[in-house]
Amino acid sequence: MKDFSGIPVKELITRAMDMLHYAYTPYSHWKVGAALLSGDGKIWGGCNIENAAFTPTNCAERTAFFKAVSEGEMHFTAIAVVGGHEGHIQDYCTPCGVCRQVMMEFCDPETFAVITVKSMEEYKIQTLKELLPDGFGPAVLGSSD
């Protein structure tokens, strides 16, 4: 079992919940917030941003990753994800397949923690490998750091 004791889980959950307020969801009304923890302890927020053409829509998790990477951050420890209709969290909101693939690009699947949240008291922590057991990433191509 992976030791997640060094991760500021409650702080990440709070930040992810705060990001729900910025979600742009005029079509699905399904708001998602994410909080990404970099290796140096900085937290990057993200929200989902919909588009009338649908395919340009961006998930909260990818928004957080792309913000961080676009500013030079390349090492990540954990992400918290919350979501629900109109931002009302009623169940766990897990990352979609595309977001899991983006995580594979930038994270160690054995250690990267994915925190899915039902409430401040109810959350699950899993490694990326648990969510994407046979993930395709840079190591497959022989180009990992």
Side-chain angles (χ1 to χ4, degrees), residues 27-89:
Y27 309 106
S28 74
H29 303 283
W30 188 266
K31 296 179 181 299
V32 180
L36 176 63
L37 180 66
S38 62
D40 64 1
K42 184 172 180 179
I43 298 174
W44 301 84
C47 64
N48 56 327
I49 303 165
E50 293 182 345
N51 186 285
F54 294 113
T55 51
T57 294
N58 202 54
C59 297
E61 300 92 310
R62 283 182 283 142
T63 298
F65 269 96
F66 296 161
K67 282 170 59 176
V69 171
S70 72
E71 293 190 32
E73 186 60 58
M74 297 292 286
H75 302 285
F76 305 99
T77 307
I79 192 167
V81 183
V82 300
H85 188 264
E86 294 297 351
H88 301 291
I89 304 163

Side-chain angles (χ1 to χ4, degrees), residues 61 81 92-96 100 114 116 124 126 131:
E61 300 92 310
V81 183
Y92 300 104
C93 182
T94 60
C96 73
R100 293 175 196 202
V114 180
T116 52
K124 294 189 277 187
Q126 298 169 282
L131 292 177

